[in-house]
Amino acid sequence: MSKYGMSMCTLGMAAELAERGVAVNSLWPRTTIATAAIEVNFPPEIMQASRKPAIMADAAYVIFNRDSRQHTGNFYIDEAVLREEGIAEFAQYAVNPGARLYPDLFLDQ
C-alpha cells in the first residue's frame, strides 16, 4: 500500500507543480537494495543478492538532470534509467557480483 500511496502522491504533485516547472517522479529499484531494512528483516542470502544503494543515487542523479518540464509524473526503475544513459554493466552495483540478484518485492518482474 505504501508504494501505491507514493505513486498517487507522485501523480498528484506532478500535476499540481507542473506549471511551476517542478518535476515530481518516483524511482523504484529493480532488485533489492542493500539497506538496513534488508539486513535486519531478511536472511543474509537476500543481502548478498542485493545491489548497493549507489545504483539508486546514480539513477536519481540522471533524473534530476533531465528537463523538469518534460520529465514529470513518471515511475522510473533504476536500471532502466541507467540503461537509457548507455550503461550496460551493473556488476559494480552488486553486493556480491557473482550472486543471482533478488528481484524487488514490489515490482512485477
Side-chain angles (χ1 to χ4, degrees):
M1 289 302 291
S2 64
K3 292 229 177 176
Y4 177 78
M6 288 172 55
S7 297
M8 294 299 101
C9 288
T10 297
L11 293 174
M13 288 187 290
E16 181 180 337
L17 299 171
E19 285 185 18
R20 297 181 191 164
V22 176
V24 180
N25 297 292
S26 290
L27 176 61
W28 310 122
R30 190 184 73 74
T31 68
T32 51
I33 301 296
T35 63
I38 295 296
E39 185 175 23
V40 170
N41 295 301
F42 292 89
E45 297 80 23
I46 302 297
M47 185 67 144
Q48 290 300 307
S50 297
R51 285 184 170 150
K52 300 171 188 173
I55 192 169
M56 295 297 287
D58 289 352
Y61 179 81
V62 169
I63 295 165
F64 290 147
N65 283 289
R66 291 181 173 172
D67 182 339
S68 63
R69 294 193 181 275
Q70 299 295 318
H71 298 275
T72 189
N74 297 299
F75 305 103
Y76 292 110
I77 297 173
D78 59 355
E79 185 177 308
V81 168
L82 296 175
R83 284 189 186 281
E84 289 172 8
E85 295 296 308
I87 298 170
E89 179 56 47
F90 296 93
Q92 67 188 3
Y93 296 114
V95 169
N96 181 353
R100 183 172 169 216
L101 294 170
Y102 193 82
D104 183 74
L105 306 170
F106 300 102
L107 290 182
D108 184 18
Q109 303 287 323

